[in-house]
Amino acid sequence: MKRVETLFTGRVYHKGEFKEACIGVDNGIISFIGKEANAPSYDEKVDFKGLFIIPGLIDIHAHLRGMRLNYKEDFLSGTSAAAAGGFTLVFDMPNTDPPTNSRLRLMEKTEEAETQIIIDIGFYFGKPEEVSEAEKLVKTHAIGLKLYPEDYSKSIQPNIVEIVNIVRKNGKRIVFHPEDASIIERNRKAYPDMLKGVDKHSFIRNVETELSALDIFYRTFGAGAHATHLTTVESIMKARANRFTYDVSVNHLALTNNDLLTQGGICKVNPPLRSFEERKALIEAFNEGRIAILITDHAPHTLEEKNMTLYDEIPSGIPCFETAFSVLLDMVHKAGLNIYRLVEAFTRGPAEFLGDKKLGTVSEGSIANLTVFNPKEEWKVDPEEFYTKAKHSPFAGRVLRGRVKATVIRGVVVFQDGEIKVQKGFGKIYGINNY
Ligand code: DOR
Ligand code: ZN
């Protein structure tokens, strides 16, 4: 058997089971999986004895910011946080400053990211102004178009149907944020202009806004799109009826409106956290296999911004790269979350969304992206220790059971025991270079 560069050992998730095994990696690709006795010779051995090894986590929805939002997050801080959370590949959203809505802006963002990234990342583009710009964007490395409520739910812009059709025809993804902007506007008017705090957030952006958006989107563009961060089982049923694929965020599986009421601005997220009952039903749906993809929706804002007084000033979004997977492992112990479904929803599910057969499983021929964790290790969340610039978390002070110990990308250990092990710029851009 051909000698390999690196041999990793541990409890490996392979074909739906955890088994003691070795993974041989050559040139960034897995070339062997099996018992140590049958393993090929190697240059280096990385022993993850006693730890669990799963396919590298993939997040199809995150906000890395950069450019004029560098003060909230840059590509180094964001991808370091992602690596520390076990993520090997994440996809960045276009709602930046400036927005990623033209080929030139995508190229500028890509250039800024390339020299800084620790892990691999890919991009979405936002709604371009012109149809001709959409024609250019679909020929780039971006994986698809992200549409926000204002793009489709308030007034229908004349060229948007044409743009969506161009994106579809070129085999790129259409991902939309399902909240109806006109209902939000109407609900907001029920409260004073100078509304303080976030207590009314889940009334202003109630479930009705989500259900309505799922219908508007279907009526306008038809099936064949991906609804991101659904928050209730009712929304899941509607998305299925409208033949959308969909995902659910870790925030909505792990937190409720009660966290918003007790913790305030740091738990303000769009769409909002829902009730205890809705969250419980979501967990059941997850365990029944009705949620194929989970996302982090890592959305960093500074603590200062999150502590603002007025409702409309407090930005929405929760930074969670460094807690997401651990929070879910903790829920395996404490809330009956199914570990197999959990692994699949951050690996194979997203890989299928991407249509990428080289990702999402530990198999011979796959890219050697691995996430290594200890399901038993307990640790206390301290946002001061985060790599993200957003030093706050709804989980601050909580003791979580289950911890990411290492992250391996293309056969290289990029994170281990709290430390980043590669130089910035190690990460690659999805859709160019090696991909
Ligand atoms: O809570 C949110 N934060 N929802 C969004 O749609 C945007 C995101 C952000 O960029 O901060
Ligand atoms: Zn988002």
Side-chain angles (χ1 to χ4, degrees), residues 181-416:
S182 47
I183 300 185
I184 296 170
E185 200 175 281
R186 191 191 69 205
N187 291 348
R188 176 67 187 85
K189 291 207 175 100
Y191 302 100
D193 284 354
M194 302 297 271
L195 178 66
K196 286 187 184 161
V198 292
D199 289 10
K200 300 292 179 270
H201 192 49
S202 56
F203 296 105
I204 294 168
R205 291 177 174 257
N206 55 16
V207 180
E208 190 198 345
T209 72
E210 193 167 312
L211 296 171
S212 169
L214 289 166
D215 278 336
I216 293 173
F217 203 92
Y218 182 73
R219 281 202 306 274
T220 315
F221 307 106
H226 181 88
T228 191
H229 46 50
L230 295 184
T231 63
T232 70
V233 169
E234 210 185 342
S235 314
I236 288 178
M237 276 158 36
K238 190 174 275 295
R240 296 191 103 154
N242 291 354
R243 285 172 289 130
F244 296 134
T245 55
Y246 54 88
D247 61 57
V248 167
S249 86
V250 175
N251 299 323
H252 295 98
L253 260 193
L255 300 166
T256 68
N257 187 51
N258 196 45
D259 295 292
L260 179 74
L261 298 180
T262 55
Q263 301 203 53
I266 62 162
C267 288
K268 187 187 187 207
V269 60
N270 296 337
L273 302 173
R274 305 294 185 202
S275 68
F276 178 84
E277 289 73 28
E278 279 160 326
R279 175 196 172 215
K280 188 163 169 264
L282 214 52
I283 294 173
E284 278 163 19
F286 182 77
N287 283 346
E288 285 162 10
R290 290 197 284 152
I291 301 169
I293 304 175
L294 290 177
I295 58 161
T296 68
D297 198 7
H298 174 80
H301 299 284
T302 66
L303 185 54
E304 203 182 7
E305 290 170 319
K306 293 297 256 177
N307 282 336
M308 305 278 258
T309 312
L310 295 181
Y311 172 75
D312 297 306
E313 280 176 350
I314 303 166
S316 293
I318 298 175
C320 57
F321 273 151
E322 284 151 282
T323 48
F325 195 61
S326 278
V327 161
L328 296 171
L329 287 173
D330 192 64
M331 284 174 64
V332 169
H333 292 294
K334 296 170 192 166
L337 203 72
N338 183 299
I339 176 92
Y340 300 101
R341 300 256 189 240
L342 165 54
V343 172
E344 299 273 324
F346 259 132
T347 57
R348 197 165 53 88
E352 282 178 4
F353 167 85
L354 297 169
D356 195 323
K357 293 192 166 50
K358 288 193 156 181
L359 294 172
T361 60
V362 180
S363 332
E364 286 168 22
S366 287
I367 294 174
N369 288 358
L370 307 169
T371 298
V372 183
F373 67 95
N374 181 346
K376 293 195 180 133
E377 184 172 331
E378 299 198 331
W379 63 290
K380 193 169 177 175
V381 178
D382 177 2
E384 282 302 314
E385 290 173 4
F386 285 170
Y387 283 98
T388 176
K389 291 187 181 179
K391 311 279 185 214
H392 53 89
S393 165
F395 306 101
R398 264 211 225 173
V399 175
L400 300 177
R401 187 167 182 198
R403 187 170 207 181
V404 172
K405 302 302 289 179
T407 307
V408 175
I409 296 178
R410 290 174 269 109
V412 177
V413 177
V414 301
F415 168 84
Q416 191 167 17

Side-chain angles (χ1 to χ4, degrees), residues 60-264:
I60 65 165
H61 183 154
H63 301 265
L64 294 170
R65 315 275 193 224
M67 302 163 299
R68 291 206 277 270
L69 299 178
N70 265 330
Y71 72 98
K72 291 180 195 253
E73 194 80 295
D74 60 36
F75 288 100
L76 175 59
S77 61
T79 58
S80 299
F87 292 91
T88 53
L89 172 62
V90 307
F91 289 86
D92 174 58
M93 287 294 167
N95 62 332
T96 43
D97 184 8
T100 318
N101 60 358
S102 71
R103 187 183 174 281
L104 182 64
R105 282 178 173 170
L106 175 71
M107 291 309 169
E108 282 169 359
K109 191 185 202 178
T110 303
E111 205 174 300
E112 178 172 314
E114 252 166 352
T115 55
Q116 295 188 34
I117 49 181
I118 297 294
I119 68 157
D120 297 345
I121 69 168
F123 295 107
Y124 293 90
F125 53 87
K127 190 192 95 57
E129 299 284 337
E130 306 291 336
V131 171
S132 58
E133 197 59 54
E135 297 278 10
K136 289 185 203 160
L137 279 161
V138 293
K139 294 191 179 67
T140 67
H141 51 285
I143 62 162
L145 168 66
K146 168 74 183 293
L147 290 178
Y148 283 89
E150 315 76 57
D151 296 329
Y152 68 89
S153 66
K154 234 163 107 178
S155 56
I156 181 78
Q157 291 156 27
N159 58 10
I160 186 97
V161 174
E162 204 180 331
I163 289 171
V164 164
N165 286 334
I166 289 166
V167 175
R168 277 200 183 124
K169 203 175 64 202
N170 283 274
K172 300 268 174 175
R173 306 284 165 278
I174 310 278
V175 176
F176 69 104
H177 175 137
E179 284 190 292
D180 181 337
S182 47
I183 300 185
I184 296 170
E185 200 175 281
R186 191 191 69 205
N187 291 348
R188 176 67 187 85
K189 291 207 175 100
Y191 302 100
D193 284 354
M194 302 297 271
L195 178 66
K196 286 187 184 161
V198 292
D199 289 10
K200 300 292 179 270
H201 192 49
S202 56
F203 296 105
I204 294 168
R205 291 177 174 257
N206 55 16
V207 180
E208 190 198 345
T209 72
E210 193 167 312
L211 296 171
S212 169
L214 289 166
D215 278 336
I216 293 173
F217 203 92
Y218 182 73
R219 281 202 306 274
T220 315
F221 307 106
H226 181 88
T228 191
H229 46 50
L230 295 184
T231 63
T232 70
V233 169
E234 210 185 342
S235 314
I236 288 178
M237 276 158 36
K238 190 174 275 295
R240 296 191 103 154
N242 291 354
R243 285 172 289 130
F244 296 134
T245 55
Y246 54 88
D247 61 57
V248 167
S249 86
V250 175
N251 299 323
H252 295 98
L253 260 193
L255 300 166
T256 68
N257 187 51
N258 196 45
D259 295 292
L260 179 74
L261 298 180
T262 55
Q263 301 203 53

